[in-house]
Amino acid sequence: MKDAFNMSVSQVFCKGGKNYAFVTFDDGVRSAEGKIPECTILSSKGFSEKEVTQLEDYMRRELTNLKKMASSVNVWSALMKD
């Protein structure tokens, strides 16, 4: 797996009383989208099964930080930037 990825975390969503967020990984060639707190990859393009497992492991290890990142996303301020 390449060493450098772009990763982004969505805002927190709520459905059925359960909070969740999306985590995307991209290296310019391959991409994957995961969901937390389940720490599962929902879709991927170009990643092997082993690499998908590594991304899921990463999300589990970093779950606390990923949740903090998602809770700090402010969509309205991002839309209002010049």
Side-chain angles (χ1 to χ4, degrees):
M1 191 175 336
K2 282 188 175 182
D3 292 334
F5 287 94
N6 292 316
M7 182 188 77
S8 61
V9 180
S10 75
Q11 68 185 41
V12 176
F13 298 95
C14 185
K15 184 175 182 179
K18 295 185 179 187
N19 292 340
Y20 62 95
F22 297 100
V23 181
T24 58
F25 301 92
D26 184 294
D27 68 1
V29 177
R30 302 170 298 170
S31 62
E33 181 178 62
K35 186 176 177 183
I36 57 173
E38 293 88 346
C39 299
T40 56
I41 295 295
L42 303 173
S43 64
S44 70
K45 180 181 175 185
F47 287 101
S48 69
E49 286 185 39
K50 180 180 179 181
E51 291 169 325
V52 167
T53 299
Q54 290 173 339
L55 293 173
E56 290 173 338
D57 289 344
Y58 171 82
M59 288 190 293
R60 278 189 284 281
R61 281 192 316 272
E62 296 297 324
L63 184 57
T64 300
N65 292 328
L66 293 170
K67 285 180 176 182
K68 286 179 187 176
M69 291 171 68
S71 68
S72 70
V73 173
N74 184 334
V75 175
W76 293 113
S77 69
L79 289 174
M80 297 301 178
K81 285 185 179 180
D82 292 327

